Amino acid sequence: MKNALEGWKLTLLLVGGLLIMTAVALALAANPVEASRLVIRWTARCSVALFLAAFTASSLVRLVPIRITHWLSRNRRYLGLAFAASHSIHLMAIISLATQDQVLFWQLTNYGTLVSGGLAYVFIFAMATTSFDRTAAMLGSRLWRLLHRAGAWYIWTSFVVTFGKRFVMDTAYLPAMVLIFLALAIKLLARLRGSRTKSTPA
């Protein structure tokens, strides 16, 4: 029996939670600049959690086919769309910070980060747009798989770089780094198990 928290209900609940979290950040912050920075930090953590859940869903269900992994596998599209929403809020907060305090903004970033981050957003929006049956059919199965595979790995790499730079300065980012590399291990183990299964004689 399927859990009631499935599909679009799940996405709407997660997006609603993200909006409430953003409102809380705005209410708690002493000024608009601090509010933008708080939203950036909070949505970064939410985004990585949502992304990794969608990223590892198919691998987890192959490795450990239990109720929760089947649920993740069924809902990875909706988790992915919630991730896209979270990172859209993240982007709006970054733009807000850039307009409010340009000096601080350029102290925290550089052109290289803007280019690599911009490409990540191209993948995020392209993947979100093609996460619907009609747009996926328009793209074609081969291009769809190529886009989503390349995009997922590029976004994973972006999280490694982004959180890795902060981990060097602040060990509070250790849990995120552990989860990011645990996701890699899960993907590799699932691929290894799949390769072994294919090579086993019938």
Side-chain angles (χ1 to χ4, degrees), residues 39-119:
V39 172
I40 289 169
R41 288 195 295 271
W42 288 4
T43 53
R45 289 163 173 77
C46 291
S47 290
V48 75
L50 290 167
F51 169 76
L52 292 177
F55 183 62
T56 59
S58 60
S59 298
L60 280 170
V61 79
R62 287 201 297 271
L63 292 170
V64 189
I66 58 176
R67 186 174 181 178
I68 184 62
T69 57
H70 281 290
W71 180 87
L72 282 171
S73 182
R74 286 196 306 272
N75 290 284
R76 62 178 180 170
R77 173 193 300 191
Y78 305 102
L79 291 166
L81 289 169
F83 157 67
S86 177
H87 233 47
S88 295
I89 297 172
H90 184 78
L91 176 61
M92 287 187 283
I94 291 173
I95 293 171
S96 176
L97 177 62
T99 57
Q100 291 165 354
D101 192 333
Q102 292 188 15
V103 174
L104 176 61
F105 174 77
W106 287 111
Q107 288 175 350
L108 297 171
T109 192
N110 54 61
Y111 285 109
T113 299
L114 290 181
V115 172
S116 60
L119 181 55

Side-chain angles (χ1 to χ4, degrees), residues 59 62-63 186-202:
S59 298
R62 287 201 297 271
L63 292 170
I186 289 168
K187 298 287 283 186
L188 294 177
L189 282 172
R191 179 170 295 186
L192 180 61
R193 176 171 290 188
S195 299
R196 287 179 176 176
T197 302
K198 289 178 182 179
S199 62
T200 301

Side-chain angles (χ1 to χ4, degrees), residues 105-175:
F105 174 77
W106 287 111
Q107 288 175 350
L108 297 171
T109 192
N110 54 61
Y111 285 109
T113 299
L114 290 181
V115 172
S116 60
L119 181 55
Y121 273 103
V122 169
F123 275 120
I124 290 168
F125 294 139
M127 292 166 72
T129 301
T130 56
S131 289
F132 304 90
D133 293 340
R134 181 172 295 182
T135 51
M138 290 171 61
L139 187 63
S141 59
R142 184 177 179 180
L143 285 177
W144 186 92
R145 285 194 299 270
L146 179 62
L147 168 64
H148 283 253
R149 184 173 298 171
W153 281 108
Y154 185 85
I155 294 165
W156 178 86
T157 304
S158 296
F159 278 126
V160 172
V161 174
T162 301
F163 281 87
K165 288 190 299 185
R166 285 159 177 76
F167 169 64
V168 172
M169 299 179 289
D170 186 353
T171 55
Y173 288 89
L174 177 61

